[in-house]
Each structure stands twice: as C-alpha cells, then as structure tokens.
C-alpha cells in the first residue's frame, strides 16, 4: 500500500463518522469505496480493538507494537477517531490494527458496521476490571453478536484489563463473573456457537504480550507446522522450552507443545530487550548502516540456577529463544547443527514469493510454499545425540 493511499484512507476514516457525533462531514461512501478497493484489504486480516472509553485500548497498542513505556501511556489522550495501524513494515506478523473510539455507537443506522466486520480476523474487546463493567458487558454482547452474524469466522477475544491493581483472589473472581455473565447473555440470545476467549491483562507486566501472542497465533495458518518443527528441534537437542519470537513486539508466534510457564516467558522477553539494547549500543557499524539485529545476532545468558538462555536469529524479524540446562548446553555443536536444520525449515515454510499473493487470513509476511513439507523432512533428519541421521 502506498503512502499516498495510506494517507487518503486515514483521512477518509476520520471523516466517516455521522454528523451527530461531531466528527466532520459524513463520508461513508468514500470510506467504503476506499476500503473495498484497497489492494491489501482482502489480504491482510484486521484486528479490531474495541471497548468503552478509557478502558486502555490505545495503551495496549502503544506498549505492544510501539515499545512505549507503560508509564508514558498515562499521558495519552482519549481516542476520538478510528486509528488504523499497519504494523507489517516492522514486524513479522502482517495485519492491520484498528483502534476504535469507545464513545462512538457503530451500530447507529447511519454507520455501516457490516463493512467493518468483513475481513476482520480477530475482535478484541477490552474491559476495565477496576471499573463497573455492567455497561461494558452490554456493549460486548451487542458488538460480538452483530459481528458474528456478519462474519462467523472472527475470533472473539476479551481482555479483562488493568488487573495489576487487583489481588489474586479478586482477579479470579472478576474473571469468573465476567465469563459467566457474558456467556449467559450469549445463551439467552441462542448464540451458543459464538466462542469468547478471556485473558487477564496488564501493561505493567508481560500478561498483555502473552495474551496478544495467543490472539496472533490463531491468525497464523502455519501454526501447527511451526509447533511440530519446534517439538522435533527440542526433542533432539536436549532443550526444555523454546519460543519463536517476533522481535519487535515480543509476541511469540509459536512454541513447543509443553505448557507455557509465565516466568519462563518473562525471562525470554527480558532477554530480547537486553539483546536489542546492547546491539543498538555496540552492534551497529561505524557508518551506522544496517540493523542492530541481523543474521549474526545471538546471545547466551547463564543464570545462577544452572539454567541457560540461548537466543539465535531466524529471520530479520524472528528469533528463537531456548531454555535449557548447563549440562545440555555442553553439546552446543549439536544444538547449533539442529538449529541450522530448523532455520532452513522455517525459511521454507515462509518462503518469500513476490509473484504470488497471500491467502486470505494469513497473518505473516509471506505465503507458505508447497515445499514446506521438505523443510519438515529436513528437520526430522536433525542430529540426535550428536549423530546426524537421515529419513529412511
């Protein structure tokens, strides 16, 4: 999408609200025409951020995708227009995020909500857990029920947000109450097929990154292949846990099949921060050309509990972060050989083909080629106990 077109589309979104709300000239026809004619509208899925005013939607977007400090979000102004953010230029994941003003009624007859929900991959509804959420639950039910009728393929996600100020017992009780009320409302409307996923989130810890990771993973059609590759890699390398991270956002787009421990995830996120910060200081060339994170990037951190964190570059957007014991890391040559096989398989799964178009719903930078099976076969021939093996 060209810069001129981005500006034109952004301008049309600002001017597309009904006159009654005081957002300028009513220009719905132009908005619809621009969206329908957009060359990327059908290829890049949208993630919609919705919720009442001051629920924390804009703060989530800024912290996750723009590396804003959580404390700086206190100075963000309330959103008064649709904010459309295309993050595909700096991130592995490839979609648009639309941040919707909480004060606007999108189901007003003068507003075409069907146009909004067509082509949407996920709808995230943010509820402020520290506020009275009765009104938010009513808006949630209205939003998801109408969106489901327009597009049943949408993934509906509920972020129970700002839980950092609640005790552990209060968090659990709040989540149980919201879960119960929301599903009761759907049952009363005979919408049992509509599934809501609930997450406790806060921008002051890593819970918001983990929740967004789960949302993004549902939009990646290659996820089962990635999980299978990671399972083969760790089983042949003596690794306890491995994450495939989007470096910019610290979203993990895949992990192995073992359960995710929040503390391990936080350690991996902190490691990425350390690597990027140190690389920006010492890793750039004297002429300042190139990126701080490149194909030479790797890091090893040894903790005082015999745990080793090992990071290696997979692509210019992706990093593999592994957690293993010191005795397993003694076979570093084996791990590096297996990683070489894993990296080749990943590149084949996401082989860049400029002549082909992405499938609708894909949320990554490139479409999967027909040779992805070869990459999986190559990884299956990875070294086991130091001896390279081949498929029979």
């Amino acid at each position: 999408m060209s810069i001129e077109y981005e500006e034109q589309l952004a301008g049309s979104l600002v001017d597309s609200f009904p006159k009654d709300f005081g957002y300028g000239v009513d220009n719905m026809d132009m908005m619809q025409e621009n969206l329908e004619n957009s060359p990327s509208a059908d290829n890049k899925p949208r993630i919609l951020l919705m919720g009442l005013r001051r629920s924390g939607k804009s703060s989530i977007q800024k912290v996750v995708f723009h590396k804003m400090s959580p404390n700086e979000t206190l100075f963000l102004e309330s959103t008064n227009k649709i904010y459309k953010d295309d993050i595909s230029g700096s991130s592995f994941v490839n979609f648009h995020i639309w941040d919707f003003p909480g004060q606007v009624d999108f189901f007003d007859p003068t507003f075409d909500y069907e146009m909004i929900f067509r082509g949407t991959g996920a709808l995230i509804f943010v509820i402020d857990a520290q506020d009275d959420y009765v009104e938010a639950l009513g808006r949630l039910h209205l939003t998801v029920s109408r969106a489901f009728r327009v597009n049943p393929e949408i993934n509906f996600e509920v972020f129970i947000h700002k839980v950092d100020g609640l005790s552990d017992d209060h968090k659990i009780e709040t989540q149980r109450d919201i879960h119960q009320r929301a599903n009761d409302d759907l049952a009363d409307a005979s919408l049992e097929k509509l599934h809501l996923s609930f997450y406790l989130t806060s921008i002051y810890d890593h819970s918001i990154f983990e929740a967004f990771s789960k949302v993004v993973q549902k939009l990646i059609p290659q996820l089962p292949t990635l999980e299978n590759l990671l399972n083969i890699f760790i089983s042949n390398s003596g690794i306890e846990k491995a994450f495939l991270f989007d470096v910019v956002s610290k979203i993990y787009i895949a992990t192995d099949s073992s359960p995710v421990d929040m503390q391990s995830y936080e350690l991996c996120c902190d490691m990425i921060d350390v690597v990027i910060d140190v690389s920006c200081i010492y890793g750039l060339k004297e002429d300042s050309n190139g990126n701080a994170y490149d194909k030479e990037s790797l890091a090893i951190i040894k903790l005082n509990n015999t745990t080793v964190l090992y990071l290696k570059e997979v692509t210019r957007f992706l990093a593999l972060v592994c957690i293993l014991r010191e005795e397993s890391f003694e076979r570093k040559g084996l791990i590096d050989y297996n990683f070489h096989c894993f990296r080749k398989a990943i590149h084949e799964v996401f082989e860049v083909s400029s002549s082909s178009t992405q499938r609708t719903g894909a949320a990554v930078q490139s479409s999967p080629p027909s040779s992805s099976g070869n990459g999986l076969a190559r990884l299956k021939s990875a070294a086991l106990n130091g001896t390279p093996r081949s498929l029979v």
Side-chain angles (χ1 to χ4, degrees):
M1 183 183 292
S2 66
I3 297 176
E4 293 80 10
Y5 185 83
E6 288 270 357
E7 294 174 348
Q8 179 184 5
L9 181 56
S12 68
L13 289 172
V14 175
D15 296 333
S16 62
F17 292 96
K19 295 178 182 179
D20 296 342
F21 296 116
Y23 287 100
V25 181
D26 184 5
N27 206 5
M28 280 298 300
D29 292 338
M30 181 183 296
M31 179 182 181
Q32 286 182 249
E33 182 180 355
N34 283 338
L35 287 172
E36 292 172 357
N37 295 334
S38 169
S40 62
D42 294 331
N43 294 329
K44 292 183 181 179
R46 291 193 295 267
I47 293 182
L48 308 184
L49 275 174
M50 292 185 164
L52 300 183
R53 293 181 72 253
R54 311 303 299 177
S55 59
K57 304 182 296 297
S58 300
S59 299
I60 291 173
Q61 181 184 0
K62 295 296 185 182
V63 169
V64 174
F65 295 104
H66 297 279
K67 300 185 73 67
M68 178 178 285
S69 168
N71 293 326
E72 294 178 6
T73 62
L74 298 172
F75 305 101
L76 289 176
E77 296 181 359
S78 181
T79 305
N80 57 9
K81 64 180 180 181
I82 297 178
Y83 181 78
K84 175 177 171 291
D85 190 12
D86 183 358
I87 64 168
S88 60
S90 60
S91 177
F92 178 77
V93 289
N94 189 21
F95 49 70
H96 294 161
I97 296 181
W98 287 19
D99 183 4
F100 284 81
Q103 67 271 28
V104 175
D105 181 10
F106 294 99
F107 304 111
D108 185 276
T110 59
F111 205 94
D112 185 6
Y113 63 87
E114 292 188 5
M115 176 273 305
I116 297 174
F117 296 129
R118 281 194 226 105
T120 294
L123 190 157
I124 300 174
F125 196 93
V126 183
I127 296 178
D128 186 350
Q130 299 186 22
D131 198 4
D132 183 10
Y133 45 77
V134 174
E135 182 183 356
L137 286 171
R139 178 67 72 89
L140 168 66
H141 177 74
L142 178 64
T143 302
V144 300
S145 59
R146 295 203 179 181
F148 182 76
R149 293 186 178 99
V150 174
N151 183 4
E153 302 301 318
I154 296 178
N155 297 316
F156 296 100
E157 322 286 350
V158 180
F159 285 6
I160 304 172
H161 197 47
K162 302 182 182 180
V163 297
D164 49 279
L166 306 180
S167 65
D168 291 340
D169 291 340
H170 196 178
K171 290 179 186 178
I172 297 173
E173 179 59 27
T174 300
Q175 184 178 20
R176 186 203 62 79
D177 187 39
I178 292 177
H179 182 279
Q180 183 69 38
R181 292 192 188 190
N183 284 296
D184 286 347
D185 290 342
L186 293 177
D188 292 342
S190 300
L191 291 172
E192 291 85 358
K193 293 183 179 180
L194 196 162
H195 176 71
L196 299 175
S197 299
F198 297 85
Y199 308 89
L200 294 172
T201 60
S202 169
I203 60 174
Y204 291 97
D205 56 31
H206 292 86
S207 59
I208 189 61
F209 295 96
E210 185 180 24
F212 238 107
S213 297
K214 300 292 181 59
V215 173
V216 170
Q217 287 170 20
K218 295 178 182 179
L219 301 178
I220 299 178
Q222 301 90 346
L223 181 63
T225 302
L226 298 178
E227 291 180 346
N228 197 8
L229 292 173
L230 286 166
N231 285 332
I232 297 170
F233 172 69
I234 68 169
S235 63
N236 290 334
S237 306
I239 293 172
E240 295 184 356
K241 188 69 181 172
F243 294 92
L244 192 60
F245 272 96
D246 175 50
V247 176
V248 174
S249 63
K250 291 186 294 187
I251 288 175
Y252 68 94
I253 67 166
T255 185
D256 58 89
S257 56
S258 62
V260 175
D261 175 52
M262 191 64 179
Q263 186 177 10
S264 299
Y265 173 66
E266 291 176 356
L267 280 173
C268 294
C269 288
D270 291 341
M271 184 182 193
I272 291 176
D273 286 335
V274 170
V275 170
I276 297 301
D277 291 344
V278 172
S279 297
C280 288
I281 299 173
Y282 300 105
L284 291 175
K285 298 179 181 179
E286 293 182 1
D287 54 5
S288 298
N289 291 330
N291 297 319
Y293 179 80
D294 54 29
K295 63 181 180 180
E296 303 296 330
S297 296
L298 67 89
I300 302 168
I301 297 179
K302 295 184 178 181
L303 306 180
N304 57 8
N305 60 352
T306 72
T307 299
V308 176
L309 303 179
Y310 190 31
L311 179 147
K312 294 203 72 171
E313 184 263 2
V314 178
T315 71
R316 67 192 184 101
F317 292 125
L318 291 180
L320 180 70
V321 184
C322 305
I323 302 175
L324 65 159
R325 296 295 174 185
E326 283 187 0
E327 54 266 25
S328 298
F329 193 68
E330 292 176 359
R331 301 181 297 171
K332 183 175 178 296
L334 166 68
I335 296 173
D336 288 343
Y337 175 82
N338 287 343
F339 172 78
H340 178 71
C341 298
F342 173 81
R343 191 172 185 270
K344 279 190 173 182
I346 291 293
H347 277 266
E348 288 190 9
V349 172
F350 298 115
E351 183 181 12
V352 177
S353 178
S354 58
S355 60
S356 63
T357 57
Q358 287 185 336
R359 295 185 304 175
T360 302
V364 292
Q365 286 283 31
S366 55
S367 56
S370 59
S371 62
S372 61
N374 295 334
L376 183 58
R378 179 180 287 112
L379 187 64
K380 285 183 177 178
S381 64
L384 178 61
N385 296 328
T387 304
R389 60 184 174 88
S390 300
L391 289 177
V392 178

